[in-house]
């Protein structure tokens, strides 16, 4: 998944048509002019034809076309054992800013390994899989940034909300803000801060404000999961994660959260705690006012700044149906002997011919009945919830016939 996200990050401008070069070929040549660092820590020189092939596979197969076959030993080092790893960690504890190349040179000079026995790339991968203990990490390179265009970057985050309803239950605010205009493109309180809830928040933003180029989030459960990666891949969004415990990297959404906490949560309107619906109604009114007020950084109202580039927005082709398809989750299930599959604790009837087979299911969390099975020929078929009472009365189609004259069963 990580490698597929990396590949998509390179070809995204070619997919979305946002490359600054005169042609796509020149964009590919520029990207390949210098060696690039891969997610596993290695450095490679890519060819323009490689990027072109990734783009073709994405257009033909979607995000899955960029996924390589996994390795059983992924994340482990076959060259660095526990003793050598302890020596490397001791060097890093002594000099936290030491590079992998310098560690490699010291290992050879001090006789820990023979020349040519261990590569710098292997040490880099070991660094990646064995981070420094908390408190010893080098200072972060943090610089102010802003997207060059509207919908270039969206930032998203979760904020703890008040207790609402009877009995009181915690509400969680999920919000998405556009980096350039500072417009809040989606914000709502939810009962559970999970992956399915954030998918709904993101869907509302895409439906009303178009498809962003990049989505910048943290490493919480709602934001780092395979389903969100697949959804972003289908939509052509580059999914970016801030470093662990580095929430300050998402400065704009963090600032919005502080503003909302001081100006909305601290003075909630009367009756807003009565129910989740009442709380979200009050939030919608407050966000509308926020988007219409001049922002101190941009000197423009977020609504005005966003509308100024409305002609550059990218919308998902296919309307509501395409949006449904892009946001459906995917899971593999084995069809039970009674021709059923279970999704979100609900049984659905599958075709009898697929009993015992592992099949791909696509469904929208929280929307019972929106469950589809991918047939062997690639087509989709909607599944109906299992009605055991109706099945008890349904005639059975037997796989054999009886020839009474011959007295044999065939």
């Amino acid at each position: 998944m990580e490698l597929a996200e990396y590949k998509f990050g390179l070809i995204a401008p070619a997919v979305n048509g946002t490359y600054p070069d005169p042609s796509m070929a020149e964009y590919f040549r520029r990207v390949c002019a210098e060696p690039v660092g891969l997610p596993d820590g290695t450095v490679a020189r890519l060819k323009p034809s490689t990027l072109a092939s990734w783009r073709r596979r994405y257009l033909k197969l979607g995000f899955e076309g960029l996924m390589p076959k996994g390795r059983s030993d992924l994340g482990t080092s076959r060259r660095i054992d526990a003793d050598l790893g302890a020596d490397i960690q001791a060097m890093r504890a002594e000099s936290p800013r030491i590079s992998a190349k310098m560690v490699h040179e010291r290992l050879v000079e001090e006789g820990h390994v023979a020349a040519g026995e261990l590569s710098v790339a292997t040490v880099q991968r070991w660094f990646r899989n064995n981070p420094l203990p908390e408190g010893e990490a080098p200072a972060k390179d943090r610089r102010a940034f802003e997207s060059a265009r509207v919908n270039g970057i969206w930032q998203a985050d979760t904020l703890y909300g008040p207790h609402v309803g009877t009995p009181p239950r915690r509400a969680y605010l999920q919000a998405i803000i556009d980096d350039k205009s500072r417009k809040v493109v989606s914000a709502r309180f939810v009962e559970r801060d999970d992956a399915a809830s954030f998918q709904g928040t993101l869907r509302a933003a895409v439906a009303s404000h178009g498809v962003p180029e990049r989505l910048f989030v943290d490493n919480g459960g709602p934001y780092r999961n395979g389903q969100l990666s697949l959804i972003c891949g289908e939509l052509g969004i580059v999914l970016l994660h801030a470093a662990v415990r580095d929430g300050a990297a998402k400065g704009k959404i963090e600032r919005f959260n502080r503003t909302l906490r001081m100006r909305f949560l601290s003075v909630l309107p009367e009756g807003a705690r009565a129910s989740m619906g009442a709380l979200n109604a009050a939030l919608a009114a407050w966000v509308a006012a926020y988007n219409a007020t001049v922002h101190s950084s941009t000197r423009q109202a977020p609504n005005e700044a966003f509308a100024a580039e409305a002609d550059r927005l990218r919308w998902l082709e296919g309307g509501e149906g395409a949006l449904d398809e892009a946001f459906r989750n995917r899971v593999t299930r084995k069809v039970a002997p009674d021709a059923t599959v279970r999704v979100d604790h609900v049984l659905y009837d599958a075709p009898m011919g697929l009993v015992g087979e592992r099949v791909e299911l696509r469904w929208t969390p929280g929307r019972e009945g929106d469950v589809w099975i991918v047939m062997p020929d690639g087509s989709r078929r909607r599944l109906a919830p299992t009605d055991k009472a109706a099945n008890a009365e349904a005639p059975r189609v037997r796989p054999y016939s009886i020839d009474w004259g011959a007295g044999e069963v065939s």
Side-chain angles (χ1 to χ4, degrees):
M1 185 72 69
E2 186 177 11
L3 183 57
E5 291 177 0
Y6 175 82
K7 291 179 179 179
F8 183 76
L10 293 180
I11 67 171
V15 174
N16 300 332
T18 57
Y19 51 84
D21 307 85
S23 68
M24 187 183 304
E26 291 190 26
Y27 168 71
F28 287 156
R29 283 194 291 270
R30 178 170 60 82
V31 172
C32 297
E34 299 292 336
V36 297
L38 300 179
D40 63 358
T42 60
V43 178
R45 184 180 289 277
L46 301 177
K47 297 180 180 180
S49 59
T50 300
L51 298 184
S53 68
W54 290 350
R55 178 179 178 273
R56 287 194 299 271
R57 289 185 62 82
Y58 175 80
L59 294 177
K60 181 179 179 180
L61 303 174
F63 193 65
E64 293 179 349
L66 302 179
M67 294 184 187
K69 293 183 178 179
R71 285 177 44 178
S72 60
D73 61 349
L74 188 64
T76 63
S77 175
R78 294 171 289 177
R79 295 283 186 180
I80 301 177
D81 57 20
D83 293 336
L84 185 57
D87 293 333
I88 295 175
Q89 202 70 324
M91 294 180 189
R92 299 179 74 193
E94 178 183 348
S95 304
R97 295 179 182 270
I98 193 170
S99 67
K101 184 176 181 180
M102 295 173 64
V103 167
H104 179 266
E105 292 174 351
R106 284 186 57 180
L107 290 175
V108 175
E109 290 173 358
E110 296 176 9
H112 295 280
V113 296
E117 181 183 353
L118 191 68
S119 68
V120 175
T122 300
V123 181
Q124 290 173 332
R125 286 194 296 272
W126 194 91
F127 268 40
R128 181 182 179 86
N129 295 325
N130 298 270
L132 283 169
E134 187 175 359
E136 298 182 12
K140 296 180 175 64
D141 181 2
R142 197 184 314 287
R143 310 181 192 187
F145 69 92
E146 181 177 278
S147 176
R149 50 191 168 271
V150 161
N151 276 9
I153 302 175
W154 283 358
Q155 295 188 19
D157 198 14
T158 299
L159 178 69
Y160 278 86
H163 289 82
V164 299
T166 305
R169 297 185 61 182
R170 169 75 71 181
Y172 302 89
L173 173 75
Q174 293 180 343
I176 306 175
I177 192 171
D178 177 62
D179 187 273
K180 173 70 181 297
S181 66
R182 309 301 203 272
K183 183 175 184 180
V184 180
V185 295
S186 184
R188 63 174 187 158
F189 284 100
V190 295
E191 294 181 353
R192 291 179 295 276
D193 182 34
D194 56 15
S197 295
F198 180 69
Q199 289 167 26
T201 304
L202 178 61
R203 179 195 167 108
V206 172
S208 59
H209 291 81
V211 183
E213 297 173 24
R214 287 163 287 182
L215 178 64
F216 192 25
V217 294
D218 60 28
N219 293 272
Y223 309 109
R224 184 174 283 280
N225 57 81
Q227 299 295 347
L228 182 59
S229 295
L230 288 170
I231 290 171
C232 288
E234 287 293 321
L235 293 171
I237 302 171
V238 178
L239 182 60
L240 305 173
H241 291 91
V244 177
R245 293 184 294 276
D246 189 19
K250 310 189 313 303
K252 298 178 182 69
I253 188 67
E254 294 288 344
R255 177 178 176 178
F256 169 75
N257 284 342
R258 289 196 299 271
T259 300
L260 183 137
R261 186 182 293 111
M262 292 186 299
R263 300 182 181 179
F264 176 73
L265 292 181
S266 63
V267 288
L268 278 176
E270 184 178 355
R273 297 175 185 268
S275 66
M276 193 68 71
L279 182 61
N280 273 316
L283 173 67
W286 186 86
V287 168
Y290 177 91
N291 283 336
T293 303
V294 174
H295 196 279
S296 60
S297 297
T298 64
R299 305 300 179 185
Q300 277 186 291
N303 281 339
E304 295 176 358
F306 193 90
E309 300 184 32
D311 57 334
R312 302 181 60 177
L313 303 183
R314 180 169 69 91
W315 298 92
L316 185 65
E317 297 181 3
E320 195 71 15
L323 205 58
D324 285 341
E325 177 62 21
F327 276 87
R328 287 193 180 104
N329 283 207
R330 306 179 187 185
V331 69
T332 300
R333 291 280 190 270
K334 184 176 181 179
V335 180
D338 58 358
T340 61
V341 290
R342 188 179 297 274
V343 178
D344 278 352
H345 309 292
V346 178
L347 280 178
Y348 292 85
D349 289 328
M352 288 294 300
L354 296 179
V355 168
E357 300 291 330
R358 296 191 68 83
V359 297
E360 179 183 326
L361 303 175
R362 301 193 178 190
W363 88 103
T364 303
R367 190 187 298 180
E368 186 174 338
D370 188 30
V371 176
W372 299 73
I373 187 171
V374 180
M375 302 297 289
D377 62 358
S379 62
R380 315 286 170 78
R381 179 183 298 182
R382 186 192 292 270
L383 302 184
T386 300
D387 187 338
K388 294 184 178 181
N391 287 345
E393 303 297 330
R396 301 298 192 263
V397 178
R398 300 183 181 277
Y400 58 83
S401 60
I402 301 177
D403 186 347
W404 295 103
E408 298 178 355
V409 177
S410 60

